[in-house]
Amino acid sequence: EAQVTQNPRYLITVTGKKLTVTCSQNMNHEYMSWYRQDPGLGLRQIYYSMNVEVTDKGDVPEGYKVSRKEKRNFPLILESPSPNQTSLYFCASSPLLAGEPETQYFGPGTRLLVL
Amino acid sequence: DAKTTQPPSMDCAEGRAANLPCNHSTISGNEYVYWYRQIHSQGPQYIIHGLKNNETNEMASLIITEDRKSSTLILPHATLRDTAVYYCIVRLGSGDMRFGAGTRLTVKP
């Protein structure tokens, strides 16, 4: 089944404890992206990647890192989480059409609570 | 800065057409208009997208004005399962997809 998977789905952690949220897609998509969603603010893009070893900042990249060593994986790293990073996180992937992302397929989300 | 403007909420009667408007007055010639929806806290789901021409698929129709400054998503026969937040997105450039606050559509029996 074609899908985007995220792990973990739920995470409670404490301020300053490094964590990684994994994202994997089995559709051979070039484009992958991370979003966070907060009440009243809609979805905001954190980072995106157009292909392996190519990453770019989205709207709210501060406090996050990403890497794209393999086409299928795009982990989101919080080196020193803070309470303002408590949020619902979505990973997405998309094929490229004429060099641009086409339709994005979203993962189920990761709900993070930073105490 | 958001490039799209949508009403925060709308209601629609079950079985009737739902028409969701979106303004994108600063859209440039090569930018597409995309529509996604999000049911509760699930991952957003792609609905439809277009450049200039009107588009239709099994889920919805997309009507884009001739000047491309606005568009309307039409759900022809809304059901209770169409209750969701609907996002209109203009793609800014390579990879940069910006979601606004969307329109919360409530389909009522």
Side-chain angles (χ1 to χ4, degrees):
Chain A
E1 179 189 353
Q3 59 183 350
V4 178
T5 57
Q6 297 178 225
N7 283 293
R9 294 288 313 280
Y10 304 90
L11 179 61
I12 301 174
T13 189
V14 296
T15 298
K17 185 176 181 181
K18 180 179 178 180
L19 67 92
T20 299
V21 183
T22 65
C23 174
S24 183
Q25 50 96 3
N26 62 1
M27 295 170 280
N28 202 36
H29 288 166
E30 294 89 355
Y31 176 90
M32 297 186 74
S33 180
W34 276 103
Y35 297 86
R36 62 177 289 174
Q37 185 170 33
D38 305 288
L41 295 177
L43 280 147
R44 295 181 292 168
Q45 193 175 46
I46 303 171
Y47 271 95
Y48 63 93
S49 168
M50 298 292 282
N51 216 322
V52 175
E53 301 292 0
V54 180
T55 62
D56 278 294
K57 296 178 181 179
D59 281 338
V60 288
E62 296 78 20
Y64 304 94
K65 286 176 57 178
V66 292
S67 68
R68 188 88 183 276
K69 294 184 171 60
E70 305 165 282
K71 199 171 188 179
R72 64 181 294 128
N73 296 323
F74 190 44
L76 180 70
I77 303 155
L78 284 71
E79 294 270 4
S80 183
S82 62
N84 64 13
Q85 293 178 298
T86 292
S87 188
L88 177 59
Y89 292 87
F90 289 103
C91 179
S93 73
S94 171
L96 292 181
L97 183 65
E100 301 283 350
E102 202 186 23
T103 59
Q104 293 194 68
Y105 296 83
F106 283 81
T110 295
R111 195 171 289 279
L112 173 65
L113 172 62
V114 183
L115 301 173
Chain B
D1 293 335
K3 287 194 68 173
T4 61
T5 304
Q6 299 176 252
S9 64
M10 292 181 64
D11 291 341
C12 177
E14 188 178 19
R16 304 296 294 270
N19 297 280
L20 293 93
C22 180
N23 287 322
H24 30 79
S25 58
T26 59
I27 193 169
S28 63
N30 60 350
E31 289 180 324
Y32 284 77
V33 179
Y34 285 80
W35 283 84
Y36 285 78
R37 73 179 182 183
Q38 186 176 25
I39 298 172
H40 196 44
S41 293
Q42 298 176 23
Q45 176 190 23
Y46 166 80
I47 301 173
I48 199 167
H49 74 284
L51 183 63
K52 295 181 183 177
N53 300 321
N54 298 336
E55 302 287 345
T56 295
N57 63 21
E58 65 279 3
M59 287 183 69
S61 295
L62 174 61
I63 309 297
I64 302 175
T65 57
E66 195 167 338
D67 64 7
R68 303 210 326 121
K69 292 185 177 181
S70 66
S71 61
T72 301
L73 177 75
I74 302 172
L75 307 178
H77 306 287
T79 71
L80 299 179
R81 287 177 295 182
D82 291 321
T83 292
V85 177
Y86 287 77
Y87 296 98
C88 168
I89 303 143
V90 170
R91 195 176 63 209
L92 292 179
S94 279
D96 199 353
M97 301 278 285
R98 292 193 183 172
F99 288 70
T103 296
R104 182 173 297 277
L105 174 69
T106 302
V107 180
K108 298 184 173 182

